[in-house]
Amino acid sequence: MNNNKAVEISDAEWEIMRVVWTLQTATSRKIIDNLKQKKSWKEATVKTLLRRLVQKEVLRTTTQGRSFIYHPAINEQEAINLMALGVFQKICQHHVGTTLLQVIQQFPLAKGDIEQLQQELTKKYPTAPDELPCDCLPGMHQACSSTAEVSEKC
């Protein structure tokens, strides 16, 4: 898989991947059985999703007798990072800080994660600009300075 490309997989495909990342190696039967505990998907649905993930090069497959064995082609953290980066690359850079703040406020974090975030923010602070410009339209170099302007411009 291209390690610089955002992972573009559906919510249903993420469910499949979470099972495969946990098991590391699994037959379609094992994946189906594990998903039966969480979802009421038909076997054909799971097999279709597995085929799509192989086509997207997120899963690799080998055969063992008549069974297909699935292996992740990308590790979980790498996929999460690529997905998140893809989202942040799509939004106006003026919104990135506020969006990160919302994420931090919404989700529990371990003390170690908080310490790492604090260290990284401390390193970035001395070279950070006072404001980031809106990058929604080419040639727009002014920053969105208020919420009303952000809504109109971004």
Side-chain angles (χ1 to χ4, degrees):
M1 168 161 213
N2 180 349
N3 291 340
N4 296 323
K5 186 179 178 196
V7 175
E8 295 182 17
I9 59 177
S10 70
D11 291 346
E13 291 167 337
W14 273 101
E15 290 291 335
I16 300 278
M17 289 306 300
R18 291 185 69 192
V19 171
V20 177
W21 281 319
T22 300
L23 299 174
Q24 288 300 304
T25 298
T27 62
S28 56
R29 170 61 37 216
K30 184 111 175 152
I31 295 166
I32 291 164
D33 291 345
N34 275 278
L35 283 169
K36 278 184 184 176
Q37 298 171 17
K38 291 176 70 175
K39 304 286 179 187
S40 57
W41 294 342
K42 294 181 180 174
E43 186 172 319
T45 301
V46 175
K47 288 184 177 182
T48 297
L49 293 169
L50 286 167
R51 187 179 69 250
R52 287 181 189 165
L53 289 164
V54 170
Q55 290 170 343
K56 292 178 181 185
E57 299 179 353
V58 179
L59 280 180
R60 290 186 337 257
T61 186
T62 57
T63 54
Q64 187 175 51
R66 295 185 61 199
S67 298
F68 285 98
I69 311 296
Y70 294 91
H71 316 269
I74 183 172
N75 76 46
E76 185 175 13
Q77 189 61 56
E78 182 180 1
I80 292 166
N81 293 349
L82 289 171
M83 179 191 60
L85 289 172
V87 168
F88 280 98
Q89 289 169 348
K90 292 175 187 171
I91 63 176
C92 174
Q93 68 180 353
H94 185 78
H95 295 281
V96 171
T98 303
T99 304
L100 286 171
L101 180 61
Q102 287 292 314
V103 170
I104 290 169
Q105 290 171 342
Q106 287 289 330
F107 293 95
L109 296 169
K111 288 181 181 180
D113 293 331
I114 294 169
E115 288 172 2
Q116 286 183 310
L117 286 166
Q118 288 173 327
Q119 289 171 8
E120 191 59 35
L121 291 171
T122 299
K123 283 195 293 189
K124 281 184 156 295
Y125 188 83
T127 59
D130 289 333
E131 289 186 5
L132 291 172
C134 169
D135 63 350
C136 294
L137 298 173
M140 289 274 303
H141 296 295
Q142 67 192 61
C144 302
S145 58
S146 72
T147 306
E149 287 183 62
V150 168
S151 299
E152 291 173 18
K153 292 180 185 174
C154 301

